[in-house]
Amino acid sequence: MDRAGNNGIDIESEALPIDGKEIVRNGSDLFDKDMIREPLLRKRTNTTSQIALIGANVCPIESLDYEIVENDLFKQDWRSRKKLQIFQYIVLKWTLALLIGLATGLVGFFNNLAVENIAGFKLVLTSDLMLKQKFYQAFVAYAGCNVVLAIAAAVLCAYVAPAAAGSGIPEVKAYLNGVDAHSILAPSTLFVKIFGSIFGVAGGFVLGKEGPMVHTGACIANLLGQGGSRKYHLTWTWLRYFKNDRDRRDLITCGAAAGVAAAFRAPVGGVLFALEEAASWWRGALLWRTFFTTAVVAVVLRGFILFCRNGNCGLFGEGGLIMFDVSSSITSYSTADLLVVLLLGVIGGLFGSLYNYLVDKVLRTYSIINEKGPHYKVLLVIIISLLTSCCSYGLPWFGSCTPCPDGLKEQCPTIGRSGNYKNFQCPPGHYNDLASLFLNTNDDAIRNLFSSGTENEFYLSSLFVFFFAIYGLGIITYGIAIPSGLFIPVILAGSSYGRLIGTLLGSICDLDPGLFALLGAASFLGGTMRMTVSICVILLELTNDLLMLPLVMLVLLISKTVADSFNKGVYDQILVLKGLPFMESHLEPYMKHLVARDVVSGPLMTFSSVEKVGNIMHVLRMTRHNGFPVIDEPPFVEAPELCGLVLRSHLVVLLNGKKFTKEKMLCREGILRKFDAFDFAKAGSGKGLKVEDLDISPEEMDMYVDLHPITNSSPYTVVETMSLAKAAVLFRQLGLRHLCVVPKTPGRPPISGLLTRHDFMPEHIMDLYPHFNPRRKLSNRS
C-alpha cells in the first residue's frame, strides 16, 4: 500500500476495497439496482483499501512511481552523465519504439494467420459434410472443434494466467493511470493472451482479438522495457536507463497504440486511441514516438499481406487482417439519409447503454461462478461454447433458400471457408443468407454486411435474427475465462441493425445498405465505448472511404450523447467493477466542498533523517506502505522540519548495504561512495529486494543509518487547506504516488499526512462523509 498506518494485505483474503474497513456483503446485495458503482468483490475481509479483480483473482494493488525522486544519488548521477550517455538514452528510446512496432506487427500477423487457418479448416470441414448431406456429423464436427478450442483457451486462462482473461484494455488504462496490479503485463500473461485469443476467436465465440491485441502490445512493451536483468546477465548500462516507471509508461503507451494498429491496420487510429482512451498523461515527444511505432506496425503488416496474396499462407489470403473496403460504393446522401443517420445515432445510444448495463449484470453473475475455482471457469466456457455452436449452426435452418443473383463476379453458392453466399442445406444454385453470416469468421461476416451492391442479399427477418443473436451472445461471452475483445461483437451487432434499417428504408434513401451497416457499427461503438475521434478514424481507415467522414462523425456524436445520459462507457464501467482505483479526469462536485486535511487518515508513520535501524525494520515488517515522510530534527537543525519522502524499496536497498554507524551522525559521503543511482532503480516485474531478504543482526539493530542521500528532498506538497478538487487535479496530472500535506500554521509537526490514490476514491470519501452520497440520502428518505 502507499499510505502509512494500515496493516498489510493478505493476498488470500477476500475484501471489499472501501476505506480499509472490513465490509461483508451478502449475496442478496449483488443485484441491487444501485450496485452499478460497486466493485465485484463480495464477502471479502481486508484491513486496507486497494485490492482488485485481475482476471478472476483478488490481487493487491500498488501505485506506480511516475514522480522523479530527486535525492542526492539522483542528482549525482545526472551531474555525472556525459553527452554520449544522454545520446545513448535518446537512441535507445527510439530503438525500443522500433522493436515494439516490429514485435507487435509480427504477433498481429501471426494471430490472423492462425485464426484464419484454424477457423478455415473447421468451416471447410463442416461445409464438406453439409454438401454430402451429413448434417448431424457436420454439427458434431463444428461443435467439437469449437469445444476443443474453447477448452484450450480456458485452461490457459484459468490455470496459467488469469490476468489474461477479458479485453485487457481496462487494465492497460489503469496502468497508464498509475495503477500497478499483479501480473497484468507479465510474460505469462503475454503468452496466454496471444494463444488464448487465437483459440477463442477460431473457436467461434462472439468476440474479437482487437482488445487483446492492445493488451498484447502493452505486454510486449513492458517486456522490452524491463531495463535489463541481473538473472540473465543483461545489465549493460544502456539498458539500465529504463529501470523506472516513467519510461516504462511511455513504452507501454506506444505498445497499446501498436496493438490497435496491428488489430485494425489503422496506424493513425492507434495513436488517437492511445491519446483519447488509454493514456492519462501525454506530451509532444510521446506523440512522435507513438506515431513512429504504429507506422512500423503498418509497414510490417503490409509486407506480410503482400507475401500472403500469392497463396503462401494457407487459407489466409486476401482477407484476414481486417480491411472492410467500401470505397467502391457511391457516397451521396440526401436529407432523408441525414434523418436516418440521426435515427441510427439515437438507436446506437440506446442499444449501447443497454448493452453496458447487461454486461455489468452478467459480469456480476459470472464472478460468483469464477470464485468457485478454475474448474468452474472452464465449465462455464464449455457451456457458452456449446450455446454459441447451437445458435450458429441451428439458426440458419430457419433461413430461406434464395436463388443466386445473376451476373455475380464471385462464386455462388460459395464452396469453402468464406464468401457472401453459403449453400448450407439449400439445393444447387441457391444460398442461405443466415448461414452466410453465422457460418463464417466474424471478420468475413462483417465484410458480408458491409458489402455494396447487394441490396437484396439478406432478408429483413435474417438481419433481425442475426442482430439479436449476436447482441445476446456478445453479452454472455464477455466475462468468461478467455481473452475476449468487445470491438468485433459491437461492430457485428451495429452493422446488422444498420443494414436492417438501410434495407427497410431503401426506397427513400440514396445510400447503399452496406454504408448504413457502417453507420450502424459506428453508432453502436459510440454507444458502448463512448469514444469519438479514435473510433471515427479507425473506421475510416478500415473502410477506405473518406467521403463517409461527416456522417460517421455525426452518428458518433449523437450515440455518445444519448448513451451518456444513462451510464458510463463499458471500459470505465469495468474499471469500477474490478475495483481498480482509477483517477478520473473529471472532478466529483463534492470535492470542491472538502479540503486536503478532511480525507487524510492516520496514524502517520515518519522517520528521523538519521534513524535507528531497528525502528526502520519494525515499521517495514509491520506495514506494507511504500512512502514515509522523513523529518529533520535537532541536533541537525534548530527545529523539526520536513526533509522529504523516502520510498520503501529504497530503504530496503540501503539497509541491505549495511552502511550503518554506531552513533547518530551524518554519513552522506560514505553512502554516495558505496551506492549509485542504478542500485535503487526499480526492478522489472516486481522482482526487487524485499524485507524478508534482509539479514540484520541484533547488534546492527541498535545502529543508525543516514537517510538523507536517498530521501526525495523536493516532494510535491500542498497546504492542508487546499481544496480536495485542486489536490486531485495536481495528483492526476503529475502522475503522483504520494502528496504530502503540510500544516498552514506554525508550531505544529512539519507534516499533517500523506494523500495517496485511495484518498481520492469516491468509496473512501463517501464512507467518511455519507451526507455527500445521494444514494444514501434516497435510502434514508425511503
Side-chain angles (χ1 to χ4, degrees):
M1 289 303 301
D2 300 323
R3 84 172 345 29
N6 294 330
N7 294 326
I9 295 176
D10 178 9
I11 297 179
E12 300 300 326
S13 65
E14 300 183 345
L16 187 69
I18 299 181
D19 193 29
K21 296 181 176 61
E22 179 176 329
I23 297 180
V24 179
R25 295 190 180 276
N26 56 43
S28 61
D29 292 332
L30 183 66
F31 296 99
D32 187 271
K33 64 181 179 180
D34 292 329
M35 285 284 288
I36 192 72
R37 289 178 57 84
E38 299 293 344
L40 281 176
L41 301 173
R42 305 169 50 256
K43 293 185 180 180
R44 297 184 166 100
T45 58
N46 185 33
T47 54
T48 186
S49 61
Q50 286 166 288
I51 62 172
L53 287 175
I54 304 301
N57 287 358
V58 183
C59 298
I61 295 297
E62 301 290 352
S63 294
L64 296 165
D65 293 309
Y66 290 153
E67 180 184 359
I68 295 177
V69 180
E70 293 185 345
N71 54 32
D72 291 343
L73 287 165
F74 171 83
K75 295 173 184 176
Q76 178 179 267
D77 175 65
W78 269 103
R79 284 194 297 265
S80 63
R81 285 194 183 183
K82 301 177 181 178
K83 290 184 178 180
L84 177 61
Q85 292 175 311
I86 296 174
F87 178 75
Q88 286 176 338
Y89 171 68
I90 295 172
V91 170
L92 183 59
K93 287 197 291 188
W94 287 94
T95 303
L96 287 177
L98 172 66
L99 293 176
I100 292 169
L102 290 173
T104 307
L106 288 171
V107 171
F109 169 74
F110 172 72
N111 277 10
N112 284 275
L113 180 68
V115 167
E116 292 291 315
N117 280 282
I118 295 173
F121 169 80
K122 175 190 68 178
L123 294 171
V124 169
L125 176 62
T126 305
S127 177
D128 290 343
L129 291 172
M130 292 286 293
L131 291 174
K132 297 175 183 177
Q133 306 295 309
K134 297 180 179 180
F135 300 125
Y136 292 108
Q137 292 92 325
F139 173 72
V140 171
Y142 179 73
C145 290
N146 285 345
V147 169
V148 170
L149 292 168
I151 292 175
V155 168
L156 285 174
C157 256
Y159 292 97
V160 179
S167 167
I169 292 178
E171 285 81 0
V172 174
K173 280 188 63 175
Y175 185 94
L176 295 176
N177 190 255
V179 178
D180 189 16
H182 180 68
S183 295
I184 60 173
L185 299 175
S188 59
T189 303
L190 172 62
F191 173 81
V192 174
K193 206 74 179 185
I194 294 173
F195 288 96
S197 177
I198 290 172
F199 296 146
V201 175
F205 286 107
V206 181
L207 51 82
K209 51 187 176 292
E210 291 66 38
M213 270 306 303
V214 175
H215 196 179
T216 298
C219 289
I220 291 172
N222 181 67
L223 187 63
L224 292 173
Q226 289 299 304
S229 170
R230 292 178 182 175
K231 179 180 178 182
Y232 298 106
H233 306 291
L234 298 174
T235 53
W236 301 306
T237 301
W238 58 277
L239 276 176
R240 296 189 297 174
Y241 293 140
F242 287 84
K243 282 184 173 290
N244 64 84
D245 288 329
R246 289 174 63 88
D247 286 316
R248 288 178 193 164
R249 173 184 61 183
D250 289 356
L251 292 175
I252 289 168
T253 303
C254 292
V260 174
F264 291 111
R265 276 178 61 192
V268 179
V271 176
L272 293 175
F273 174 86
L275 173 62
E276 181 181 7
E277 182 67 11
S280 298
W281 186 85
W282 199 263
R283 57 194 174 92
L286 180 59
L287 177 66
W288 280 40
R289 284 206 303 279
T290 306
F291 185 67
F292 171 70
T293 307
T294 58
V296 172
V297 173
V299 171
V300 170
L301 294 180
R302 182 67 177 173
F304 279 111
I305 289 172
L306 292 176
F307 173 76
C308 289
R309 281 183 178 172
N310 297 324
N312 300 317
C313 302
L315 295 173
F316 178 76
E318 295 182 4
L321 292 168
I322 302 176
M323 190 65 179
F324 313 122
D325 195 341
V326 297
S327 58
S328 59
S329 303
I330 299 175
T331 309
S332 61
Y333 42 88
S334 60
T335 304
D337 293 304
L338 291 176
L339 295 177
V340 176
V341 169
L342 295 176
L343 175 63
L344 279 175
V346 174
I347 293 175
L350 295 175
F351 277 140
S353 58
L354 177 62
Y355 191 90
N356 292 358
Y357 175 80
L358 294 176
V359 165
D360 172 86
K361 295 303 180 183
V362 168
L363 287 176
R364 296 185 185 281
T365 305
Y366 285 173
S367 70
I368 305 173
I369 301 172
N370 290 335
E371 285 176 1
K372 297 181 182 297
H375 292 82
Y376 287 88
K377 299 178 191 177
V378 176
L379 179 61
L380 179 61
V381 171
I382 294 173
I383 292 172
I384 299 299
S385 176
L386 289 173
L387 179 61
T388 304
S389 298
C390 290
C391 290
S392 299
Y393 189 86
L395 289 176
W397 288 95
F398 297 97
S400 303
C401 291
T402 307
C404 292
D406 297 328
L408 286 177
K409 296 181 181 179
E410 58 183 294
Q411 187 181 28
C412 180
T414 303
I415 305 297
R417 172 184 65 88
S418 61
N420 282 38
Y421 304 99
K422 285 285 188 179
N423 179 262
F424 202 60
Q425 88 289 11
C426 296
H430 292 71
Y431 72 94
N432 185 314
D433 59 342
L434 263 178
S436 301
L437 297 174
F438 278 113
L439 289 181
N440 254 328
T441 62
N442 292 333
D443 298 351
D444 287 330
I446 295 174
R447 288 189 185 91
N448 294 346
L449 289 168
F450 281 7
S451 61
S452 58
T454 55
E455 293 83 357
N456 300 317
E457 179 183 351
F458 301 103
Y459 290 106
L460 293 177
S461 58
S462 299
L463 293 171
F464 189 81
V465 170
F466 183 72
F467 165 69
F468 280 102
I470 294 298
Y471 193 91
L473 289 173
I475 290 170
I476 65 173
T477 301
Y478 192 82
I480 60 177
I482 56 174
S484 52
L486 285 170
F487 273 95
I488 289 301
V490 169
I491 292 176
L492 271 173
S495 56
S496 58
Y497 74 69
R499 190 174 183 104
L500 173 65
I501 292 176
T503 304
L504 189 64
L505 302 177
S507 59
I508 62 172
C509 296
D510 296 332
L511 285 177
D512 189 273
L515 297 180
F516 275 114
L518 168 62
L519 294 172
S523 70
F524 202 20
L525 283 168
T528 53
M529 312 290 181
R530 313 295 163 83
M531 293 179 280
T532 52
V533 179
S534 55
I535 287 181
C536 181
V537 174
I538 287 172
L539 286 176
L540 293 178
E541 289 184 284
L542 276 176
T543 56
N544 195 28
D545 192 351
L546 191 60
L547 296 177
M548 290 294 291
L549 175 62
L551 297 183
V552 173
M553 292 174 63
L554 180 62
V555 79
L556 280 170
L557 290 171
I558 295 173
S559 62
K560 182 184 185 306
T561 302
V562 172
D564 281 340
S565 304
F566 297 96
N567 50 32
K568 289 184 174 182
V570 65
Y571 295 132
D572 294 327
Q573 190 170 285
I574 293 170
L575 281 169
V576 175
L577 291 175
K578 286 179 173 289
L580 293 166
F582 188 84
M583 290 284 293
E584 298 284 357
S585 57
H586 64 274
L587 300 175
E588 298 291 347
Y590 55 75
M591 286 188 175
K592 298 178 182 178
H593 303 288
L594 297 172
V595 295
R597 67 182 172 208
D598 292 334
V599 297
V600 169
S601 56
L604 180 68
M605 291 186 176
T606 63
F607 291 129
S608 298
S609 56
V610 180
E611 185 62 83
K612 183 177 285 189
V613 174
N615 293 343
I616 299 176
M617 287 295 297
H618 175 74
V619 171
L620 293 180
R621 285 170 177 168
M622 296 301 294
T623 70
R624 295 289 186 91
H625 316 307
N626 287 286
F628 302 93
V630 177
I631 308 298
D632 261 331
E633 297 174 337
F636 306 111
V637 291
E638 293 182 0
E641 62 182 37
L642 179 63
C643 177
L645 196 73
V646 66
L647 297 179
R648 179 189 189 91
S649 58
H650 292 183
L651 286 171
V652 174
V653 174
L654 181 64
L655 293 177
N656 190 58
K658 297 190 176 184
K659 194 65 177 177
F660 307 145
T661 59
K662 292 184 179 180
E663 302 296 331
K664 193 171 185 178
M665 57 183 290
L666 299 177
C667 190
R668 178 178 180 275
E669 296 301 327
I671 293 176
L672 291 179
R673 285 194 299 268
K674 184 176 180 61
F675 298 97
D676 62 35
F678 288 119
D679 293 326
F680 295 87
K682 185 171 181 177
S685 301
K687 304 297 184 184
L689 197 65
K690 294 181 172 53
V691 181
E692 294 77 11
D693 302 325
L694 298 179
D695 183 19
I696 307 295
S697 66
E699 293 78 13
E700 291 170 331
M701 286 288 192
D702 293 326
M703 300 176 74
Y704 294 87
V705 61
D706 185 6
L707 301 183
H708 283 101
I710 66 168
T711 298
N712 182 5
S713 58
S714 56
Y716 286 96
T717 60
V718 296
V719 69
E720 61 185 357
T721 54
M722 175 183 279
S723 73
L724 191 62
K726 290 181 68 176
V729 171
L730 180 69
F731 193 94
R732 186 183 189 275
Q733 291 188 352
L734 295 177
L736 301 182
R737 187 176 190 178
H738 306 97
L739 185 59
C740 298
V741 180
V742 297
K744 184 177 182 180
T745 56
R748 296 169 55 190
I751 184 167
S752 302
L754 283 179
L755 285 175
T756 63
R757 179 176 297 270
H758 161 64
D759 296 306
F760 297 102
M761 292 297 105
E763 295 85 1
H764 170 66
I765 298 174
M766 291 303 166
D767 196 68
L768 291 175
Y769 303 99
H771 60 279
F772 285 126
N773 192 339
R775 288 179 294 163
R776 294 192 181 184
K777 291 180 182 180
L778 291 174
S779 61
N780 291 335
R781 290 176 185 175
S782 60

